[in-house]
mmCIF file of all heavy atoms in Angstrom:
data_model
loop_
_atom_site.group_PDB
_atom_site.id
_atom_site.type_symbol
_atom_site.label_atom_id
_atom_site.label_comp_id
_atom_site.label_asym_id
_atom_site.label_seq_id
_atom_site.Cartn_x
_atom_site.Cartn_y
_atom_site.Cartn_z
ATOM 1 N N ARG N 164 30.222 -39.104 -62.807
ATOM 2 C CA ARG N 164 31.647 -39.006 -62.983
ATOM 3 C C ARG N 164 32.306 -38.752 -61.729
ATOM 4 O O ARG N 164 31.918 -37.846 -60.970
ATOM 5 C CB ARG N 164 32.011 -37.810 -64.012
ATOM 6 C CG ARG N 164 31.808 -38.309 -65.424
ATOM 7 C CD ARG N 164 32.191 -37.196 -66.409
ATOM 8 N NE ARG N 164 31.315 -36.055 -66.108
ATOM 9 C CZ ARG N 164 31.641 -34.864 -66.797
ATOM 10 N NH1 ARG N 164 32.507 -34.735 -67.531
ATOM 11 N NH2 ARG N 164 30.786 -33.885 -66.483
ATOM 12 N N ALA N 166 35.072 -37.252 -59.434
ATOM 13 C CA ALA N 166 35.850 -36.036 -59.600
ATOM 14 C C ALA N 166 37.351 -36.350 -59.735
ATOM 15 O O ALA N 166 37.880 -37.165 -58.966
ATOM 16 C CB ALA N 166 35.638 -35.077 -58.381
ATOM 17 N N ARG N 167 37.968 -35.907 -60.759
ATOM 18 C CA ARG N 167 39.395 -36.217 -60.936
ATOM 19 C C ARG N 167 40.266 -35.267 -60.097
ATOM 20 O O ARG N 167 40.011 -34.032 -60.029
ATOM 21 C CB ARG N 167 39.669 -35.941 -62.344
ATOM 22 C CG ARG N 167 38.912 -36.674 -63.346
ATOM 23 C CD ARG N 167 38.930 -36.274 -64.797
ATOM 24 N NE ARG N 167 40.195 -36.633 -65.374
ATOM 25 C CZ ARG N 167 40.609 -36.179 -66.592
ATOM 26 N NH1 ARG N 167 39.775 -35.331 -67.304
ATOM 27 N NH2 ARG N 167 41.738 -36.543 -67.096
ATOM 28 N N PRO N 168 41.167 -35.812 -59.433
ATOM 29 C CA PRO N 168 42.102 -35.016 -58.556
ATOM 30 C C PRO N 168 42.910 -34.159 -59.473
ATOM 31 O O PRO N 168 43.483 -34.553 -60.488
ATOM 32 C CB PRO N 168 42.833 -35.961 -57.765
ATOM 33 C CG PRO N 168 42.665 -37.306 -58.427
ATOM 34 C CD PRO N 168 41.500 -37.275 -59.298
ATOM 35 N N LEU N 169 42.898 -32.851 -59.187
ATOM 36 C CA LEU N 169 43.646 -31.903 -60.048
ATOM 37 C C LEU N 169 44.496 -31.025 -59.092
ATOM 38 O O LEU N 169 43.829 -30.237 -58.336
ATOM 39 C CB LEU N 169 42.638 -31.131 -60.873
ATOM 40 C CG LEU N 169 43.250 -29.929 -61.673
ATOM 41 C CD1 LEU N 169 44.216 -30.426 -62.717
ATOM 42 C CD2 LEU N 169 42.169 -29.065 -62.359
ATOM 43 N N ALA N 170 45.811 -31.067 -59.223
ATOM 44 C CA ALA N 170 46.668 -30.163 -58.491
ATOM 45 C C ALA N 170 46.816 -28.983 -59.530
ATOM 46 O O ALA N 170 47.558 -29.138 -60.434
ATOM 47 C CB ALA N 170 47.945 -30.823 -58.164
ATOM 48 N N PHE N 171 46.270 -27.891 -59.214
ATOM 49 C CA PHE N 171 46.188 -26.749 -60.147
ATOM 50 C C PHE N 171 46.882 -25.589 -59.448
ATOM 51 O O PHE N 171 46.304 -25.171 -58.423
ATOM 52 C CB PHE N 171 44.694 -26.475 -60.451
ATOM 53 C CG PHE N 171 44.431 -25.597 -61.654
ATOM 54 C CD1 PHE N 171 45.015 -25.888 -62.916
ATOM 55 C CD2 PHE N 171 43.760 -24.547 -61.538
ATOM 56 C CE1 PHE N 171 44.870 -25.128 -63.952
ATOM 57 C CE2 PHE N 171 43.563 -23.666 -62.649
ATOM 58 C CZ PHE N 171 44.259 -23.978 -63.839
ATOM 59 N N PRO N 172 47.787 -24.964 -60.069
ATOM 60 C CA PRO N 172 48.533 -23.918 -59.428
ATOM 61 C C PRO N 172 47.609 -22.735 -59.204
ATOM 62 O O PRO N 172 47.760 -21.915 -58.246
ATOM 63 C CB PRO N 172 49.724 -23.659 -60.347
ATOM 64 C CG PRO N 172 49.839 -24.892 -61.097
ATOM 65 C CD PRO N 172 48.503 -25.458 -61.251
ATOM 66 N N ALA N 173 46.699 -22.500 -60.210
ATOM 67 C CA ALA N 173 45.801 -21.270 -60.068
ATOM 68 C C ALA N 173 44.611 -21.705 -59.301
ATOM 69 O O ALA N 173 43.517 -21.184 -59.593
ATOM 70 C CB ALA N 173 45.458 -20.860 -61.501
ATOM 71 N N ALA N 175 43.585 -20.900 -56.376
ATOM 72 C CA ALA N 175 42.987 -19.816 -55.728
ATOM 73 C C ALA N 175 42.073 -19.012 -56.572
ATOM 74 O O ALA N 175 40.950 -18.604 -56.328
ATOM 75 C CB ALA N 175 44.091 -18.870 -55.081
ATOM 76 N N LEU N 176 42.633 -18.755 -57.849
ATOM 77 C CA LEU N 176 41.837 -18.024 -58.752
ATOM 78 C C LEU N 176 40.648 -18.812 -59.249
ATOM 79 O O LEU N 176 39.476 -18.323 -59.345
ATOM 80 C CB LEU N 176 42.673 -17.777 -60.180
ATOM 81 C CG LEU N 176 43.580 -16.520 -60.067
ATOM 82 C CD1 LEU N 176 44.334 -16.491 -61.382
ATOM 83 C CD2 LEU N 176 42.714 -15.363 -59.965
ATOM 84 N N THR N 181 34.773 -19.804 -59.136
ATOM 85 C CA THR N 181 33.611 -20.684 -58.944
ATOM 86 C C THR N 181 32.857 -20.630 -57.697
ATOM 87 O O THR N 181 32.034 -21.480 -57.419
ATOM 88 C CB THR N 181 34.119 -22.260 -59.145
ATOM 89 O OG1 THR N 181 35.161 -22.495 -58.104
ATOM 90 C CG2 THR N 181 34.781 -22.439 -60.435
ATOM 91 N N LEU N 184 29.127 -21.081 -57.611
ATOM 92 C CA LEU N 184 28.808 -21.843 -58.743
ATOM 93 C C LEU N 184 28.515 -23.328 -58.463
ATOM 94 O O LEU N 184 27.643 -23.923 -58.855
ATOM 95 C CB LEU N 184 29.927 -21.781 -59.781
ATOM 96 C CG LEU N 184 29.561 -22.242 -61.307
ATOM 97 C CD1 LEU N 184 28.455 -21.304 -61.760
ATOM 98 C CD2 LEU N 184 30.734 -22.117 -62.184
ATOM 99 N N ASN N 188 25.267 -25.394 -58.952
ATOM 100 C CA ASN N 188 25.265 -26.577 -59.739
ATOM 101 C C ASN N 188 24.777 -27.674 -59.016
ATOM 102 O O ASN N 188 23.975 -28.578 -59.452
ATOM 103 C CB ASN N 188 26.710 -26.958 -60.178
ATOM 104 C CG ASN N 188 27.189 -26.113 -61.216
ATOM 105 O OD1 ASN N 188 26.343 -25.406 -61.995
ATOM 106 N ND2 ASN N 188 28.499 -26.018 -61.448
ATOM 107 N N ARG N 774 23.763 -24.418 -69.142
ATOM 108 C CA ARG N 774 25.140 -24.435 -68.920
ATOM 109 C C ARG N 774 25.882 -23.204 -69.323
ATOM 110 O O ARG N 774 26.756 -22.605 -68.597
ATOM 111 C CB ARG N 774 25.778 -25.657 -69.845
ATOM 112 C CG ARG N 774 25.522 -26.937 -69.178
ATOM 113 C CD ARG N 774 26.536 -27.927 -69.767
ATOM 114 N NE ARG N 774 26.365 -29.230 -69.247
ATOM 115 C CZ ARG N 774 26.685 -29.544 -68.029
ATOM 116 N NH1 ARG N 774 27.239 -28.690 -67.120
ATOM 117 N NH2 ARG N 774 26.452 -30.754 -67.467
ATOM 118 N N ALA N 778 27.917 -21.107 -66.746
ATOM 119 C CA ALA N 778 29.395 -20.879 -66.921
ATOM 120 C C ALA N 778 29.597 -19.397 -67.103
ATOM 121 O O ALA N 778 30.776 -18.985 -66.760
ATOM 122 C CB ALA N 778 29.728 -21.540 -68.282
ATOM 123 N N LEU L 119 44.918 -35.489 -62.913
ATOM 124 C CA LEU L 119 45.631 -34.343 -63.286
ATOM 125 C C LEU L 119 46.295 -33.718 -62.106
ATOM 126 O O LEU L 119 45.682 -32.989 -61.338
ATOM 127 C CB LEU L 119 44.540 -33.341 -63.960
ATOM 128 C CG LEU L 119 44.003 -33.741 -65.188
ATOM 129 C CD1 LEU L 119 42.726 -32.952 -65.362
ATOM 130 C CD2 LEU L 119 44.956 -33.552 -66.281
ATOM 131 N N PHE L 210 54.011 -27.217 -63.102
ATOM 132 C CA PHE L 210 52.738 -27.603 -63.737
ATOM 133 C C PHE L 210 52.951 -27.271 -65.247
ATOM 134 O O PHE L 210 53.659 -26.440 -65.686
ATOM 135 C CB PHE L 210 51.610 -26.736 -63.249
ATOM 136 C CG PHE L 210 50.216 -26.977 -63.786
ATOM 137 C CD1 PHE L 210 49.505 -28.142 -63.360
ATOM 138 C CD2 PHE L 210 49.743 -26.244 -64.766
ATOM 139 C CE1 PHE L 210 48.310 -28.406 -64.006
ATOM 140 C CE2 PHE L 210 48.480 -26.554 -65.285
ATOM 141 C CZ PHE L 210 47.770 -27.596 -64.915
ATOM 142 N N LEU L 301 51.353 -16.412 -60.093
ATOM 143 C CA LEU L 301 50.062 -16.870 -59.757
ATOM 144 C C LEU L 301 49.594 -16.376 -58.416
ATOM 145 O O LEU L 301 48.391 -15.961 -58.208
ATOM 146 C CB LEU L 301 49.818 -18.348 -59.965
ATOM 147 C CG LEU L 301 49.807 -18.948 -61.303
ATOM 148 C CD1 LEU L 301 49.594 -20.380 -61.349
ATOM 149 C CD2 LEU L 301 48.531 -18.362 -62.034
ATOM 150 N N GLU L 332 46.438 -23.052 -67.844
ATOM 151 C CA GLU L 332 46.164 -22.004 -66.843
ATOM 152 C C GLU L 332 45.636 -20.813 -67.494
ATOM 153 O O GLU L 332 44.896 -20.051 -66.955
ATOM 154 C CB GLU L 332 47.453 -21.642 -66.024
ATOM 155 C CG GLU L 332 47.901 -22.732 -65.136
ATOM 156 C CD GLU L 332 49.329 -22.498 -64.623
ATOM 157 O OE1 GLU L 332 50.127 -21.850 -65.341
ATOM 158 O OE2 GLU L 332 49.635 -22.910 -63.484
ATOM 159 N N TRP L 339 38.069 -31.114 -68.867
ATOM 160 C CA TRP L 339 38.475 -31.762 -67.608
ATOM 161 C C TRP L 339 37.333 -32.293 -66.785
ATOM 162 O O TRP L 339 37.413 -33.150 -65.949
ATOM 163 C CB TRP L 339 39.232 -30.746 -66.745
ATOM 164 C CG TRP L 339 40.737 -30.679 -67.249
ATOM 165 C CD1 TRP L 339 41.277 -31.432 -68.152
ATOM 166 C CD2 TRP L 339 41.721 -29.817 -66.672
ATOM 167 N NE1 TRP L 339 42.687 -31.028 -68.364
ATOM 168 C CE2 TRP L 339 42.930 -30.005 -67.321
ATOM 169 C CE3 TRP L 339 41.741 -28.797 -65.681
ATOM 170 C CZ2 TRP L 339 44.024 -29.330 -67.161
ATOM 171 C CZ3 TRP L 339 42.994 -28.111 -65.490
ATOM 172 C CH2 TRP L 339 44.014 -28.375 -66.153
ATOM 173 N N ALA L 341 34.494 -32.864 -64.033
ATOM 174 C CA ALA L 341 34.379 -32.679 -62.588
ATOM 175 C C ALA L 341 35.816 -32.927 -61.967
ATOM 176 O O ALA L 341 36.481 -33.892 -62.252
ATOM 177 C CB ALA L 341 33.424 -33.699 -61.925
ATOM 178 N N CYS L 342 36.215 -31.893 -61.315
ATOM 179 C CA CYS L 342 37.676 -32.053 -60.715
ATOM 180 C C CYS L 342 37.587 -31.753 -59.229
ATOM 181 O O CYS L 342 36.792 -30.974 -58.825
ATOM 182 C CB CYS L 342 38.520 -30.960 -61.339
ATOM 183 S SG CYS L 342 38.723 -31.143 -63.072
ATOM 184 N N ALA L 343 38.401 -32.551 -58.592
ATOM 185 C CA ALA L 343 38.720 -32.172 -57.068
ATOM 186 C C ALA L 343 40.046 -31.392 -57.078
ATOM 187 O O ALA L 343 41.067 -31.937 -57.301
ATOM 188 C CB ALA L 343 38.781 -33.518 -56.288
ATOM 189 N N VAL L 344 39.865 -30.142 -56.920
ATOM 190 C CA VAL L 344 41.013 -29.284 -57.123
ATOM 191 C C VAL L 344 41.718 -29.096 -55.851
ATOM 192 O O VAL L 344 41.248 -28.821 -54.796
ATOM 193 C CB VAL L 344 40.551 -27.867 -57.784
ATOM 194 C CG1 VAL L 344 41.705 -26.976 -58.031
ATOM 195 C CG2 VAL L 344 39.814 -28.077 -59.025
ATOM 196 N N SER L 345 43.037 -29.107 -55.954
ATOM 197 C CA SER L 345 43.977 -28.798 -54.861
ATOM 198 C C SER L 345 45.020 -27.837 -55.149
ATOM 199 O O SER L 345 45.381 -27.840 -56.441
ATOM 200 C CB SER L 345 44.465 -30.180 -54.247
ATOM 201 O OG SER L 345 45.309 -30.755 -55.180
ATOM 202 N N PRO L 347 48.805 -27.021 -55.298
ATOM 203 C CA PRO L 347 50.034 -27.612 -55.090
ATOM 204 C C PRO L 347 50.830 -27.040 -54.081
ATOM 205 O O PRO L 347 51.713 -27.568 -53.347
ATOM 206 C CB PRO L 347 50.805 -27.646 -56.526
ATOM 207 C CG PRO L 347 50.017 -26.532 -57.259
ATOM 208 C CD PRO L 347 48.679 -26.544 -56.671
ATOM 209 N N ASP L 360 31.722 -25.624 -66.366
ATOM 210 C CA ASP L 360 30.977 -24.484 -65.654
ATOM 211 C C ASP L 360 31.852 -23.429 -65.354
ATOM 212 O O ASP L 360 31.434 -22.205 -65.310
ATOM 213 C CB ASP L 360 30.151 -25.126 -64.446
ATOM 214 C CG ASP L 360 29.082 -26.125 -64.860
ATOM 215 O OD1 ASP L 360 28.789 -26.237 -66.005
ATOM 216 O OD2 ASP L 360 28.706 -26.942 -63.976
ATOM 217 N N ALA L 361 32.995 -23.724 -64.859
ATOM 218 C CA ALA L 361 33.886 -22.665 -64.302
ATOM 219 C C ALA L 361 34.684 -22.037 -65.404
ATOM 220 O O ALA L 361 35.316 -20.915 -65.031
ATOM 221 C CB ALA L 361 34.834 -23.326 -63.182
ATOM 222 N N ARG L 363 34.378 -20.193 -68.066
ATOM 223 C CA ARG L 363 34.259 -18.749 -68.446
ATOM 224 C C ARG L 363 34.743 -17.786 -67.369
ATOM 225 O O ARG L 363 35.462 -16.980 -67.638
ATOM 226 C CB ARG L 363 32.768 -18.464 -68.747
ATOM 227 C CG ARG L 363 32.502 -17.003 -68.958
ATOM 228 C CD ARG L 363 31.040 -16.765 -69.275
ATOM 229 N NE ARG L 363 30.789 -17.156 -70.750
ATOM 230 C CZ ARG L 363 29.747 -16.637 -71.354
ATOM 231 N NH1 ARG L 363 28.843 -15.991 -70.842
ATOM 232 N NH2 ARG L 363 29.543 -17.039 -72.703
ATOM 233 N N TYR L 365 36.732 -18.442 -64.859
ATOM 234 C CA TYR L 365 38.063 -18.628 -64.586
ATOM 235 C C TYR L 365 39.017 -17.961 -65.690
ATOM 236 O O TYR L 365 40.004 -17.212 -65.410
ATOM 237 C CB TYR L 365 38.491 -20.174 -64.402
ATOM 238 C CG TYR L 365 40.070 -20.337 -64.472
ATOM 239 C CD1 TYR L 365 40.775 -20.097 -63.244
ATOM 240 C CD2 TYR L 365 40.719 -20.585 -65.532
ATOM 241 C CE1 TYR L 365 42.175 -20.221 -63.176
ATOM 242 C CE2 TYR L 365 42.085 -20.709 -65.498
ATOM 243 C CZ TYR L 365 42.815 -20.508 -64.392
ATOM 244 O OH TYR L 365 44.223 -20.648 -64.393
ATOM 245 N N ILE L 369 41.890 -15.263 -64.818
ATOM 246 C CA ILE L 369 43.338 -15.319 -65.109
ATOM 247 C C ILE L 369 43.810 -14.296 -65.968
ATOM 248 O O ILE L 369 44.892 -13.677 -65.904
ATOM 249 C CB ILE L 369 43.624 -16.782 -65.560
ATOM 250 C CG1 ILE L 369 45.261 -16.971 -65.685
ATOM 251 C CG2 ILE L 369 43.166 -16.961 -66.991
ATOM 252 C CD1 ILE L 369 45.781 -17.117 -64.279
#
Side-chain angles (χ1 to χ4, degrees):
Chain N
R164 283 181 297 176
R167 306 164 71 183
L169 171 67
F171 194 58
L176 274 177
T181 59
L184 197 60
N188 283 343
R774 280 209 181 280
Chain L
L119 291 162
F210 185 79
L301 282 176
E332 289 171 332
W339 278 358
C342 300
V344 182
S345 61
D360 294 343
R363 171 177 283 197
Y365 170 79
I369 190 71

